[in-house]
Amino acid sequence: MNDTRLVVVSSEVLPEIILKVLQAKRLEAIGEAKSSTEACKIVGISRSAYYKYKDQVFAYEEKLNQKIVSFYLVLRDEKGVLSSILTRLYELNTNVLTVNQNIPVDDVATVTISVRFDNVTVQANAVKAELKKLYGVVDVKIISGE
């Protein structure tokens, strides 16, 4: 009987080899290791152990203290306006996930920016108010994740 199911298990109860395989996969994915061989050396496991488990274990990256919000902005078609918005979002400790900018019409461009708040104490409305203060921002609306 093949009863394959996905389960969520606390890393505290997993064998060390599983955790090291996950660590090796992450190192390779983010480019800190150029190959699986290098990743295995860094974490201290054999390549055979890595290949035995690599397609069977995955990190579950949901963090309960994160929130994704999408902003719809109307911006003046002027050099540096979008750059100042991205800089301010960085200063407000958000992680920019997507930026979609349309071609300017009538000297304004619409932009949709999705960000992740790693700190839920930051409120989307407060970020919206901060963005509205920036030069070149005509309007800001929260379109999802409020």
Side-chain angles (χ1 to χ4, degrees):
M1 180 174 147
N2 187 359
D3 189 23
T4 302
R5 294 181 286 157
L6 296 176
V7 296
V8 177
V9 179
S10 171
S11 62
E12 294 172 355
V13 300
L14 291 174
E16 184 178 4
I17 189 65
I18 300 297
L19 299 174
K20 288 189 174 197
V21 168
L22 289 169
Q23 186 180 5
K25 286 176 64 170
R26 183 176 184 280
L27 289 173
E28 191 174 8
I30 64 172
E32 287 188 18
K34 293 180 180 137
S35 66
S36 57
T37 301
E38 185 179 347
C40 290
K41 285 180 185 176
I42 291 170
V43 300
I45 60 173
S46 69
R47 286 180 55 232
S48 62
Y50 175 79
Y51 284 106
K52 178 177 181 180
Y53 295 112
K54 80 171 186 76
D55 293 328
Q56 304 302 316
V57 297
F58 307 93
Y60 183 71
E61 295 296 340
E62 179 183 45
K63 295 180 182 174
L64 297 176
N65 64 339
Q66 294 182 344
K67 179 167 78 171
I68 295 174
V69 177
S70 294
F71 295 96
Y72 175 83
L73 301 99
V74 179
L75 309 177
R76 289 185 188 172
D77 181 24
E78 295 180 20
K79 184 165 89 173
V81 173
L82 181 57
S83 177
S84 69
I85 289 167
L86 295 174
T87 299
R88 188 66 185 127
L89 289 169
Y90 169 78
E91 293 167 350
L92 293 168
N93 200 29
T94 69
N95 182 17
V96 175
L97 303 174
T98 65
V99 178
N100 296 302
Q101 181 176 4
N102 294 312
I103 302 250
V105 175
D106 296 331
D107 294 324
V108 294
T110 59
V111 179
T112 304
I113 302 175
S114 295
V115 299
R116 181 175 57 226
F117 294 92
D118 293 332
N119 180 350
V120 291
T121 61
V122 177
Q123 296 296 315
N125 283 324
V127 172
K128 175 183 169 183
E130 286 295 316
L131 296 177
K132 279 189 169 188
K133 294 177 188 176
L134 296 175
Y135 174 79
V137 176
V138 176
D139 192 21
V140 180
K141 293 179 182 164
I142 299 171
I143 57 174
S144 71
E146 193 170 11

